Amino acid sequence: MRTIAVMPYDEKWPEAFKVERLLLQTFLGGVAKNVHHIGSTSVPGLPAKPVIDILLEVSDVTELDKYNAIMVRAGYVARGENGIPGRRYFIKGSDVRSHQVHAFTVGNKEILRHLAFRDYLRKNRDIALDYAEIKRTAAFFCKNDVHRYSALKANFIEHHLQLALIDLK
């Protein structure tokens, strides 16, 4: 069973992302158009589950399906859409997960949403601190149920995601 623990920010997370980005770009070649560090580990100072979230923009997610064997050799498990239409989702590590890749075709609206929320938290330290407290509380009450953990954060994320998207206009 995976343990959900929110850890203090680790200065090594950006470097861990850079290493993985290089690995993905090397293994995926031209299908990988952009690779972004997203999620809480991408926000300096924000406590997080120690899992590097990666947003991969690809030429076409159906083209990416041809690279599943390569992703497996890189240590990932392919999970298909995993509940989000148009996404390809990969995890590295099982009970002790280290990385998650969320792949979308260039131009998919989910890309903008992920990047907008990340950038909003980076610019708004007070909101990031509020989010940290929500995350700690959710980790405490979820009893290692990842779906419950996500549900306990959902209202905060959705509210601030909408504000982040307004900021872009």
Side-chain angles (χ1 to χ4, degrees), residues 46-65:
L46 183 61
K49 292 183 303 172
V51 179
I52 306 300
D53 277 294
I54 297 168
L55 175 62
L56 177 63
E57 292 185 71
V58 295
S59 53
D60 185 330
V61 290
T62 58
E63 184 71 20
L64 181 61
D65 292 338

Side-chain angles (χ1 to χ4, degrees), residues 41-88:
T41 62
S42 72
V43 180
L46 183 61
K49 292 183 303 172
V51 179
I52 306 300
D53 277 294
I54 297 168
L55 175 62
L56 177 63
E57 292 185 71
V58 295
S59 53
D60 185 330
V61 290
T62 58
E63 184 71 20
L64 181 61
D65 292 338
K66 297 174 186 174
Y67 290 81
N68 282 348
I70 291 171
M71 291 295 284
V72 167
R73 282 196 299 271
Y76 285 92
V77 174
R79 292 277 181 94
E81 287 185 329
N82 204 53
I84 299 177
R87 174 177 77 163
R88 295 300 181 270

Side-chain angles (χ1 to χ4, degrees), residues 5-152:
V6 175
M7 312 300 288
Y9 182 78
D10 189 332
E11 298 288 337
K12 296 176 187 168
W13 289 338
E15 187 58 35
F17 162 72
K18 289 177 186 173
V19 168
E20 204 68 16
R21 177 182 62 199
L22 181 60
L23 175 79
L24 291 169
Q25 288 172 325
T26 300
F27 281 3
L28 299 177
V31 74
K33 299 302 180 188
N34 292 299
V35 185
H36 308 276
H37 190 184
I38 61 168
S40 295
T41 62
S42 72
V43 180
L46 183 61
K49 292 183 303 172
V51 179
I52 306 300
D53 277 294
I54 297 168
L55 175 62
L56 177 63
E57 292 185 71
V58 295
S59 53
D60 185 330
V61 290
T62 58
E63 184 71 20
L64 181 61
D65 292 338
K66 297 174 186 174
Y67 290 81
N68 282 348
I70 291 171
M71 291 295 284
V72 167
R73 282 196 299 271
Y76 285 92
V77 174
R79 292 277 181 94
E81 287 185 329
N82 204 53
I84 299 177
R87 174 177 77 163
R88 295 300 181 270
Y89 180 62
F90 301 87
I91 59 170
K92 189 178 241 187
S94 55
D95 286 345
V96 182
R97 189 166 299 168
S98 63
H99 298 79
Q100 301 179 131
V101 173
H102 311 263
F104 296 95
T105 300
V106 172
N108 186 299
K109 67 180 169 97
E110 291 298 324
I111 296 167
L112 175 64
R113 292 169 57 86
H114 281 290
L115 296 177
F117 188 64
R118 177 202 65 193
D119 294 346
Y120 179 81
L121 290 176
R122 285 178 174 175
K123 288 182 217 169
N124 295 284
R125 182 78 182 137
D126 56 332
I127 294 165
L129 291 173
D130 290 345
Y131 187 41
E133 190 55 37
I134 298 259
K135 290 161 64 70
R136 284 188 203 100
T137 302
F140 180 79
F141 286 108
C142 76
K143 299 182 179 170
N144 293 319
D145 178 338
V146 71
H147 299 293
R148 183 168 166 80
Y149 175 74
S150 294
L152 290 168

